């Protein structure tokens, strides 16, 4: 039926006449027919004719059936071009059967073909026709009395209120360990999370590879017995910076293998600018936001150094913070500006010093009383627009600075307890909120994640995290998820199913994998692929195969003997029986220890030895005098020398 419809539609096609062949072009190109005009078609006439024909035939053949057709007509073009011309003619006819005569097609343009419309929808049809110009989309569900204008108002209100953008409706907990989580890092894509703590461990978490068990896929100790101070992925996400309690920072790849280790400086040189590296414990470190090979570290040797990933033998540049008297001060935290042109460091004397990245001699901005002297400034963070700087001090304060007017803070708040030298502060992705954590002592309350408005600096929101201090916090701009490291070894991830993307949403939907005991290896083995067959160790594939082998071994499959009960020491007592061997073994293993006086035990054989000497006495009969033992009398005084001592032998 459809092919006949198409053929009928194609009868209305009109083609232009052919032009004369160009003889010169034909002789050069080697073929004729060059320069023919392409066929032109009146598509409006095709659609109208096809639609009328489909309606007419559907009424006559199908009757009251619902018609929805897609007609695809394939026409071959001129034989000289040997190609195909595809004309896709798509039409959809949705008509309902009316009470009028089915054979009349005079008003077919407004007529509906198909089953009759239900009564409950017939009344709404007139209203829908009036609203077609105003509303675009599917019809509203029955019983809906709301207005679509409310959703726009909600979006505007949410855009004005940044608190509604905080993703805190759901959370997951990752168990790093039992000690403080002192470092957190997320790669730029948000696929992997890395955590480090006071237990020297660095754990790798892959959101796409985890299930609801929430287990890390790798754990290692890159710096042996040194606490992890900072972890951060580079801007490309292929390498990671590890800053620990030693003097040498390390760079690892995504899988935890070492890529670079900074050189250690000479601690006997007075001028730290003349050493190749740090000479004391590191405090902080971060990557350059624009240059993927450059990173920065600060140390207790009083210097801030930049490094190049391709040259590990020496630092790139040195920045030396100085006090008001020109003395050396220790930087406790450091960071780059968003454009990478400025380097900021917070020092132990309460100052915040900012240098131009290319000029390491004099500071560009210097605030001498930013925080209380003697307190460790735990974090510095630039806003996304690059004009504001937030500082988290060890004096329980959080301050906001405008680097264009760096003499005094724009805003500040106190009373935020801080017991750690790495407590974080960060800006929200929309740059409207400032986030930090609070510290608590053991069993004295819950650590909180506090949100402040950037302009008014009012506390607008807070989250009770756990009954321990909140040390680290990250707000990833792509995932829109907040990662929190606590003082009791937990890493919490806060997210919203609607506002957040990927990240924790990938692993919470996966069910736990069933444990396959057959795939677990019984013990570690050494793989020696190039050794001789006689020196190779059999590779244990699974415990199931090993158990089958052990079952065939008579020694390994023997039932363990129960512990010895009853008489017998130094060996096992045989079972009671009537055989001679069992009787002998039983008597041999009996407990025959003598707990009597040892002197009496020896002297009880003295009479028999004197009367019948057999082993020793016969050999000394000629030379050995007769032994005389004194007998103690009651009349003899204790201080008087015995009679046998006065005799001469």
């Amino acid at each position: 039926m459809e092919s006949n419809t198409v053929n009928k539609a194609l009868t209305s096609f009109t083609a232009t006449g052919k032009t004369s062949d160009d003889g010169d072009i034909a002789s050069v190109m080697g073929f004729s027919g060059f320069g023919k005009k392409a066929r032109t078609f009146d598509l409006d006439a095709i659609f109208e004719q096809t639609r009328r024909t489909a309606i007419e035939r559907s009424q006559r053949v199908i009757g009251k059936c619902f018609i929805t057709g897609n007609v695809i007509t394939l026409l071959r073009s001129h034989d000289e071009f040997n190609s195909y011309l595809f004309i896709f003619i798509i039409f959809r006819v949705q008509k309902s059967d009316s009470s009028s005569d089915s054979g009349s097609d005079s008003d077919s343009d407004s007529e509906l073909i198909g089953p009759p419309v239900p009564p409950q929808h017939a009344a709404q049809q007139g209203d829908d026709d009036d609203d077609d110009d105003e509303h675009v989309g599917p019809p509203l569900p029955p019983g809906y009395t709301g207005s679509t204008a409310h959703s726009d108002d909600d979006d505007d209100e949410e855009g004005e209120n940044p608190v509604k953008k905080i993703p805190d409706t759901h959370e997951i907990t990752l168990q790093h360990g039992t000690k403080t989580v002192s470092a957190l890092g997320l790669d730029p894509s948000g696929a992997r999370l890395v955590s480090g703590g006071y237990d020297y461990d660095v754990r790798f978490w892959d959101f796409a590879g985890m299930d609801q068990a929430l287990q890390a896929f790798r754990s290692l100790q890159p710096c042996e017995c040194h606490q992890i101070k900072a972890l951060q992925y580079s801007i490309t996400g292929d390498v990671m910076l590890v800053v620990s309690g030693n003097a040498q920072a390390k760079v690892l790849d995504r899988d935890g293998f070492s890529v670079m280790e900074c050189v250690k400086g000479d601690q006997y040189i007075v001028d730290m600018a003349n050493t190749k590296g740090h000479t004391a414990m590191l405090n902080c470190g971060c990557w350059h936001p624009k240059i993927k090979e450059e990173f920065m570290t600060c140390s207790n040797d009083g210097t801030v150094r930049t490094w190049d990933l391709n040259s590990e033998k020496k630092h790139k540049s040195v920045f030396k913070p100085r006090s008001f008297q020109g003395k050396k001060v220790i930087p406790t935290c450091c960071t780059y500006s968003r454009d990478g042109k400025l380097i900021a460091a917070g020092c132990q004397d309460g100052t915040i010093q900012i240098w131009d990245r290319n000029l390491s001699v004099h500071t560009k901005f210097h605030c001498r009383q930013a925080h209380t002297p003697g307190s460790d400034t735990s974090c510095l963070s630039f806003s996304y627009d690059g004009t504001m700087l937030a500082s988290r001090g060890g004096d329980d304060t959080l301050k906001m600075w405008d680097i264009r007017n760096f003499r005094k803070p724009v805003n500040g708040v106190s009373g935020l307890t801080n017991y750690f030298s790495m407590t974080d502060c960060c800006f929200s992705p929309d740059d409207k909120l400032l986030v930090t954590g609070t510290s608590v002592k053991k069993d004295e309350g819950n650590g909180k994640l506090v949100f402040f408005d950037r302009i008014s600096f009012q506390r607008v929101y807070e989250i009770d995290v756990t009954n321990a201090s909140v040390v680290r916090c990250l707000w990833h701009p792509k995932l829109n998820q907040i990662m929190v490291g606590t003082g009791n070894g937990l890493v919490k991830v806060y997210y919203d199913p609607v506002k957040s993307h990927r990240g924790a949403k990938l692993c919470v939907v996966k069910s736990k994998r069933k444990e396959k005991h057959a795939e677990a290896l019984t013990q570690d083995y050494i793989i020696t692929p190039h050794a001789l067959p006689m020196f190779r160790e059999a590779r244990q594939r699974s415990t199931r195969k090993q158990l089958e082998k052990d079952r065939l071994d008579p020694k390994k499959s023997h039932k363990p003997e129960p512990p010895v009960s009853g008489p017998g020491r130094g060996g096992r007592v045989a079972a009671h029986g009537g055989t001679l061997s069992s009787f002998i073994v039983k008597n041999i293993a009996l407990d025959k220890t003598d707990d009597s006086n040892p002197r009496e035990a020896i002297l009880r054989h003295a009479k028999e030895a004197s009367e019948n000497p057999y082993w020793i006495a016969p050999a000394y009969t000629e030379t050995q005098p007769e032994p005389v033992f004194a007998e103690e009398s009651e009349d003899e005084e204790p201080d008087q020398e015995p009679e046998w001592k006065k005799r001469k032998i």
Side-chain angles (χ1 to χ4, degrees):
M1 181 187 68
E2 293 180 353
S3 62
N4 296 331
T5 303
V6 174
N7 292 331
K8 187 176 180 180
L10 294 179
T11 57
S12 62
F13 288 4
T14 60
T16 60
K18 300 182 179 179
T19 60
S20 61
D21 296 336
D22 192 343
D24 296 336
I25 297 178
S27 62
V28 174
M29 301 299 293
F31 61 90
S32 61
F34 185 84
K36 293 182 180 180
K37 293 184 179 180
R39 293 189 178 185
T40 59
F41 305 98
D42 188 359
L43 294 180
D44 294 336
I46 293 173
F47 279 115
E48 182 64 26
Q49 181 65 26
T50 306
R51 182 169 174 271
R52 289 177 177 273
T53 305
I55 293 174
E56 178 183 353
R57 297 204 172 193
S58 62
Q59 290 176 349
R60 185 170 60 253
V61 178
I62 302 176
K64 295 183 181 295
C65 294
F66 184 76
I67 305 299
T68 299
N70 293 332
V71 176
I72 302 177
T73 304
L74 172 62
L75 298 178
R76 292 191 177 183
S77 64
H78 200 273
D79 294 335
E80 293 179 354
F81 291 95
N82 194 18
S83 61
Y84 295 98
L85 175 63
F86 291 93
I87 300 178
F88 297 94
I89 304 174
I90 302 174
F91 69 93
R92 294 184 177 273
V93 182
Q94 297 181 353
K95 299 288 186 179
S96 62
D97 189 14
S98 62
S99 59
S100 61
D101 186 14
S102 61
S104 62
D105 56 352
S106 59
D107 55 346
S108 59
D109 295 340
S110 60
E111 198 175 46
L112 297 178
I113 303 300
V117 180
Q120 59 269 22
H121 294 283
Q124 299 179 1
Q125 187 173 2
D127 298 338
D128 294 340
D129 295 339
D130 298 337
D131 298 340
D132 286 343
D133 298 336
E134 299 179 0
H135 301 286
V136 178
L140 295 176
Y144 180 77
T145 58
S147 175
T148 57
H150 293 304
S151 60
D152 299 336
D153 297 341
D154 294 341
D155 295 339
D156 296 340
E157 184 179 356
E158 184 176 348
E160 295 176 359
N161 189 4
V163 178
K164 293 186 177 181
K165 296 183 179 180
I166 299 176
D168 65 331
T169 58
H170 295 69
E171 69 176 66
I172 62 173
T173 302
L174 309 178
Q175 184 69 46
H176 173 85
T178 57
K179 296 185 179 180
T180 301
V181 178
S182 56
L184 283 178
L186 264 172
D187 64 342
S189 63
R192 285 191 177 180
L193 172 68
V194 60
S195 61
Y198 281 3
D199 54 358
Y200 323 130
D201 288 339
V202 174
R203 295 182 182 270
F204 294 80
W205 315 81
D206 191 353
F207 289 117
M210 284 193 304
D211 53 13
Q212 291 182 358
L214 304 178
Q215 297 294 327
F217 73 92
R218 180 167 288 113
S219 177
L220 51 92
Q221 293 184 357
C223 302
E224 297 180 353
C225 297
H226 293 282
Q227 295 177 353
I228 307 300
K229 295 295 187 71
L231 296 170
Q232 188 179 12
Y233 278 96
S234 64
I235 56 174
T236 56
D238 55 346
V239 290
M240 178 184 62
L241 175 64
V242 180
V243 177
S244 64
N246 60 358
Q248 297 171 270
K250 282 189 176 183
V251 178
L252 308 179
D253 61 3
R254 287 180 63 86
D255 296 325
F257 297 100
S258 179
V259 176
M260 170 193 170
E261 184 177 10
C262 297
V263 66
K264 187 176 181 180
D266 189 352
Q267 57 185 350
Y268 297 104
I269 296 179
V270 177
D271 189 2
M272 289 291 102
N274 296 328
T275 60
K276 298 180 180 180
H278 289 293
T279 60
M281 179 185 69
L282 299 176
N283 291 323
C284 187
C286 61
W287 286 95
H288 193 282
K290 302 295 183 181
I291 305 174
K292 64 178 182 179
E293 294 90 2
E294 182 179 328
F295 62 93
M296 173 176 56
T297 55
C298 65
S299 170
N300 277 357
D301 60 3
T303 61
V304 178
R305 301 175 190 262
T306 59
W307 304 80
D308 192 343
L309 189 61
N310 299 321
S311 60
E312 60 182 8
K313 299 298 183 182
K314 192 178 186 301
H315 60 255
K316 192 173 182 179
S317 59
V318 182
F319 302 86
K320 296 187 291 185
R322 289 291 182 260
S323 63
F324 181 72
Q325 295 82 9
K327 297 181 180 180
K328 179 181 73 173
V329 294
I330 296 176
T332 58
C333 61
C334 58
T335 186
Y336 282 101
S337 61
R338 295 291 177 177
D339 56 3
K341 296 180 180 179
L342 300 178
I343 290 178
C347 305
Q348 277 188 345
D349 62 346
T351 63
I352 297 178
Q353 304 182 25
I354 302 178
W355 297 269
D356 191 315
R357 174 177 165 272
N358 299 321
L359 300 175
S360 60
V361 179
H362 300 289
T363 58
K364 188 173 183 179
F365 305 103
H366 196 154
C367 182
R368 301 194 179 278
Q369 295 181 351
H371 293 280
T372 304
S375 62
D376 294 343
T377 303
S378 59
C379 181
L380 294 176
S381 178
F382 279 91
S383 60
Y384 285 93
D385 57 12
T387 60
M388 308 299 289
L389 175 67
S391 63
R392 183 73 163 96
D395 54 356
D396 302 342
T397 60
L398 176 66
K399 296 183 180 181
M400 180 86 71
W401 307 84
D402 190 342
I403 60 175
R404 297 165 294 187
N405 184 14
F406 205 60
R407 295 183 178 180
K408 59 180 181 179
V410 178
N411 285 308
V413 62
S414 60
L416 302 174
T417 310
N418 184 8
Y419 295 148
F420 295 88
S421 61
M422 65 281 297
T423 301
D424 262 334
C425 65
C426 62
F427 286 88
S428 61
D430 59 359
D431 231 6
K432 295 182 179 179
L433 296 176
L434 184 60
V435 189
T436 188
T438 61
S439 302
V440 293
K441 293 183 179 180
K442 188 176 181 180
D443 300 332
E444 290 188 5
N446 293 338
K448 297 181 179 180
L449 197 64
V450 189
F451 297 80
F452 294 92
D453 187 86
R454 173 183 168 178
I455 299 176
S456 63
F457 228 66
Q458 297 293 324
R459 182 181 296 194
V460 295
Y461 197 73
E462 64 181 22
I463 300 175
D464 283 340
V465 180
T466 184
N467 57 349
S469 302
V470 175
V471 183
R472 289 289 187 178
C473 61
L474 289 176
W475 195 336
H476 199 273
K478 289 185 178 180
L479 302 182
N480 193 25
Q481 299 178 12
I482 303 176
M483 285 70 180
V484 179
T486 64
N488 55 356
L490 301 180
V491 178
K492 291 203 171 188
V493 181
Y494 292 91
Y495 68 97
D496 190 294
V498 179
K499 304 169 187 175
S500 302
H501 309 282
R502 299 177 63 83
K505 294 171 60 178
L506 299 177
C507 57
V508 295
V509 297
K510 296 181 181 179
S511 58
K512 292 184 180 180
R513 299 175 183 174
K514 295 182 179 179
E515 296 183 359
K516 297 181 180 179
H517 299 284
E519 295 182 359
L521 297 178
T522 56
Q523 60 183 1
D524 296 335
Y525 57 89
I526 301 174
I527 301 175
T528 55
H530 301 292
L532 296 175
M534 62 182 299
F535 297 109
R536 293 179 187 172
E537 293 186 4
R539 185 175 180 180
Q540 299 176 0
R541 298 288 182 180
S542 62
T543 56
R544 181 176 57 81
K545 293 183 178 181
Q546 185 64 28
L547 290 174
E548 291 177 357
K549 292 182 179 180
D550 294 344
R551 188 61 180 170
L552 301 177
D553 191 349
K555 292 184 178 180
K556 292 184 178 180
S557 61
H558 180 66
K559 180 182 177 181
E561 296 181 355
V564 179
S565 60
R569 291 189 181 180
R572 303 191 64 86
V573 180
H576 295 284
T579 61
L580 178 61
S581 60
S582 63
F583 176 77
I584 294 175
V585 171
K586 179 181 177 181
N587 290 333
I588 290 176
L590 289 177
D591 186 9
K592 297 182 178 180
T593 56
D594 191 0
D595 296 334
S596 60
N597 190 357
R599 185 173 183 276
E600 296 178 356
I602 295 174
L603 292 179
R604 68 182 179 181
H605 303 287
K607 183 178 180 181
E608 182 180 358
S610 61
E611 294 178 354
N612 186 19
Y614 179 76
W615 298 106
I616 298 176
Y620 299 97
T621 54
E622 298 180 357
T623 59
Q624 184 70 17
E626 181 179 358
V628 177
F629 298 99
E631 294 182 0
E632 212 172 356
S633 59
E634 298 179 357
D635 299 338
E636 189 176 3
E637 296 180 1
D639 297 338
Q640 187 178 0
E641 187 177 0
E643 185 66 24
W644 63 272
K645 286 187 177 181
K646 298 179 182 179
R647 296 181 182 180
K648 293 182 180 181
I649 299 174

